Amino acid sequence: MRGAMRLAKARMVPSLSADVKRRIRGYDSALMQVDLHESWRIGGVEIPSRLVLAPMAGVSVQAFRRQGRRFGAGLVCSEMVSCAGLSHQNERTLGYLRIAADEHPLAVQIFGAEPPVMAEAARMVEDAGADIVDINFGCPVRKVTKTGAGAHCLEEPARASAIVDAVANAISLPVSVKMRRGLANGSRTCLDVGPQLVEAGAASLTLHPRSAKQMYTGEADHTLTAELAELVDVPVIASGDITSRAKAQTVLATTGAEAVMVGRAAQGNPWALSQIMGEGGEPSREEVVAELMLFIRETVRELGEHRATGFLKKFYGWYLGRGRFPRPFKQELVQLETLDEVEQRLFAAAPGARFVLERLEDELPQGGEVLLDLPISIYGGG
Ligand SMILES: Cc1cc2nc3c(=O)[nH]c(=O)nc-3n(C[C@H](O)[C@H](O)[C@H](O)COP(=O)(O)O)c2cc1C
């Protein structure tokens, strides 16, 4: 009954009429251009564009999410947060619940295998000020699946539904689910499980149509995304291999998905997001260095200098690669011991970046961070 009511609610706010969706799925060439600037909804939450920034463990820190919003993502997502870590008040896990005023709308993603613990975690996420609670049924990593969480839940639909039901009942925010196609190659499990999760209370489904076994190899098969979108009356988000505006347009037009999600293409490359939105071109060297510097400073504020120093190393290659700077430059930065030295080297390579950075910092909204009643070290990052 509850599931039926939620379905009815979701039906009341379709952002494309059924007729338009049908014509799009019929590959009507006149409709191949879907407007990425259109807003849509997950439950009562309005999402201002059809572009979603993917949750990525070890990447989706607050600086990444705020940057994603500035470059056109209508919805951003935290990395997966352990419900057990939240439940045990683990300091580092609680740190994932820091939310800035300019991140909204924001989904915080949780993972776990026990419905009551997931429900408790969802309440903490709601209290922290998130707009949506996302549940991870896609993580393929053994450390997670062996506990019964992540993609493993696709093999246990009753448990997966019980988790969604418990979370949806615990909070008043919309609940979304992100999943893979299934565990084994060629699996179509998502088409069985997806509708059950909607029945249990999911207000949106994100599909990354690779199997857990595939990890990130092969291609995301978005014909499954189209099949899923046909089966459910809640918005479906298409994740996997969205690397260009043309790909985003094609996937939106041919699957009936409400939005596309971008992950790896945005690592060290927020310009991919604006390009997908149809705005802006390739950045200058000064812009690249200024964005990287802003990212470094924000990450230090969030994680503290010690943690940030190691965390940031992978970002140097992501920002400075793509033919933007000579390869040895990245090697040099990775070997520097302090972030002060990194800053000096970056400004020496692109002196004009100082002015771009000043402008960026001036434009950033200040303050407004939700402060929870948590140990001070979380806020200092130390
Ligand atoms: C480094 C990395 C970390 C990821 N972490 C998460 C995660 O925490 N939660 C999740 O649902 N998906 C995670 N993903 C999967 C992405 O959200 C996305 O579905 C996948 O990368 C496919 O999209 P892409 O081709 O645009 O990268 C991760 C992917 C990468 C590359």
Side-chain angles (χ1 to χ4, degrees):
M1 178 60 191
R2 199 177 45 248
M5 277 172 62
R6 286 207 188 90
L7 272 175
K9 252 198 282 178
R11 276 195 195 106
M12 276 157 46
V13 285
S15 45
L16 287 177
S17 74
D19 179 46
V20 170
K21 270 192 170 176
R22 257 196 310 279
R23 285 163 67 198
I24 287 170
R25 291 192 193 119
Y27 300 84
D28 184 328
S29 58
L31 284 169
M32 282 298 273
Q33 292 288 314
V34 177
D35 185 2
L36 278 134
H37 290 88
E38 259 173 8
S39 68
W40 56 290
R41 280 176 180 276
I42 295 180
V45 177
E46 182 167 1
I47 320 277
S49 79
R50 296 190 182 277
L51 182 60
V52 179
L53 189 63
M56 286 186 284
V59 176
S60 299
V61 288
Q62 197 180 82
F64 186 75
R65 305 188 308 248
R66 294 175 87 188
Q67 182 185 62
R69 290 286 289 123
R70 277 192 290 121
F71 279 82
L75 175 66
V76 296
C77 193
S78 78
E79 67 179 81
M80 53 193 277
V81 182
S82 156
C83 72
L86 290 178
S87 160
H88 291 128
Q89 304 268 316
N90 176 295
E91 276 200 25
R92 193 175 274 202
T93 315
L94 289 171
Y96 291 123
L97 299 188
R98 288 173 51 139
I99 294 172
D102 55 349
E103 291 186 67
H104 299 286
L106 165 78
V108 169
Q109 188 185 71
I110 53 175
F111 72 96
E114 300 304 330
V117 190
M118 287 289 273
E120 184 192 353
R123 276 190 289 269
M124 293 173 78
V125 169
E126 180 171 46
D127 289 347
D131 302 288
I132 293 168
V133 171
D134 190 60
I135 298 177
N136 180 315
F137 289 155
C139 181
V141 176
R142 172 115 183 93
K143 199 172 122 194
V144 171
T145 55
K146 76 173 185 210
T147 67
H152 177 86
C153 284
L154 297 173
E155 291 295 302
E156 276 195 81
R159 178 189 288 273
S161 293
I163 289 173
V164 171
D165 182 68
V167 168
N169 276 307
I171 56 173
S172 55
L173 303 179
V175 177
S176 57
V177 172
K178 182 161 179 288
M179 58 185 176
R180 290 213 172 208
R181 64 184 295 165
L183 291 191
N185 289 348
S187 168
R188 295 167 60 80
T189 304
C190 61
L191 302 179
D192 286 337
V193 179
Q196 295 179 47
L197 302 180
V198 172
E199 186 65 26
S204 166
L205 300 175
T206 300
L207 180 63
H208 175 201
R210 281 187 172 89
S211 68
K213 185 151 188 257
Q214 267 182 291
M215 301 292 281
Y216 296 96
T217 61
E219 266 180 52
D221 179 0
H222 285 295
T223 60
L224 274 180
T225 313
E227 288 188 61
L228 183 67
E230 275 289 346
L231 288 174
V232 295
D233 273 330
V234 297
V236 169
I237 303 171
S239 170
D241 305 340
I242 310 292
T243 52
S244 67
R245 180 165 169 79
K247 182 76 189 252
Q249 292 280 6
T250 305
V251 168
L252 283 173
T254 59
T255 63
E258 212 76 9
V260 284
M261 176 178 273
V262 175
R264 289 165 295 172
Q267 291 172 336
N269 192 24
W271 300 276
L273 300 174
S274 45
Q275 286 160 10
I276 287 172
M277 293 302 293
E279 291 149 9
E282 285 302 315
S284 66
R285 285 177 135 212
E286 284 70 25
E287 285 170 313
V288 171
V289 166
E291 275 300 333
L292 174 54
M293 274 311 310
L294 182 64
F295 191 78
I296 292 173
R297 288 182 182 180
E298 289 228 325
T299 306
V300 168
R301 198 176 60 81
E302 185 179 350
L303 302 181
E305 181 143 3
H306 180 69
R307 257 178 86 195
T309 304
F311 172 87
L312 285 163
K313 286 187 193 288
K314 59 183 177 282
F315 285 87
Y316 301 150
W318 288 340
Y319 273 91
L320 306 174
R322 303 171 203 270
R324 290 171 182 157
F325 285 83
R327 220 174 248 184
F329 186 45
K330 174 207 130 184
Q331 294 303 343
E332 197 187 321
L333 290 189
V334 170
Q335 276 154 25
L336 294 174
E337 278 181 15
T338 68
L339 291 174
D340 277 348
E341 291 169 289
V342 171
E343 177 163 338
Q344 282 168 28
R345 277 301 289 123
L346 283 170
F347 282 142
R354 281 184 194 280
F355 306 108
V356 184
L357 178 60
E358 260 173 41
R359 203 193 63 228
L360 285 175
E361 287 186 324
D362 281 351
E363 285 169 6
L364 273 190
Q366 296 301 319
E369 195 160 283
V370 178
L371 290 183
L372 302 166
D373 185 17
L374 297 172
I376 195 72
S377 60
I378 287 169
Y379 299 111

